[in-house]
Amino acid sequence: MIFSLRKGWRFIRFIVLFCILTFLLYSALERLSSWITPIQHYKIPEGNAVKVAGTSITDEQQERGLWQRLRFFYWYGE
C-alpha cells in the first residue's frame, strides 16, 4: 500500500481547518444566543404584565386526557 505524503498533508490540513472553523462558528453562535436571551428568565413581571404560568388547575384541564396533557406539555415546553 502506497501512502502519498501530499494527500495525507492535505487531509490533515483539512481536518485542522475544519475543527478551527467549527469552533469559531460555535463560539459565534454561543455569543449570539447569550446576547439574545434575557438576563433573568423568571423575574416577577412589572407594570401591567401578568405572569402566565400558574399552579391552579381548571375544570377544563381536569377533563383532558393523558394524551392531551402530554401534547400540551410538548407544545409549550412546560
Side-chain angles (χ1 to χ4, degrees):
M1 194 170 196
I2 299 173
F3 293 105
S4 173
L5 291 177
R6 287 185 182 161
K7 286 184 181 180
W9 176 246
R10 265 193 278 166
F11 179 72
I12 291 172
R13 207 170 61 193
F14 170 75
I15 295 297
V16 169
L17 186 63
F18 179 77
C19 290
I20 290 171
L21 291 176
T22 301
F23 177 75
L24 289 175
L25 180 65
Y26 175 77
S27 299
L29 289 176
E30 187 177 12
R31 286 182 187 234
L32 180 68
S33 70
S34 68
W35 178 66
I36 288 175
T37 56
I39 295 172
Q40 297 178 351
H41 300 284
Y42 301 106
K43 73 177 191 174
I44 298 172
E46 299 172 353
N48 294 332
V50 177
K51 196 165 191 172
V52 176
T55 56
S56 64
I57 299 175
T58 62
D59 293 333
E60 180 185 330
Q61 290 175 344
Q62 288 178 351
E63 292 175 3
R64 290 187 196 173
L66 176 66
W67 295 113
Q68 288 292 332
R69 286 186 289 165
L70 187 63
R71 182 174 163 242
F72 179 79
F73 173 79
Y74 284 123
W75 184 264
Y76 290 106
E78 292 192 17

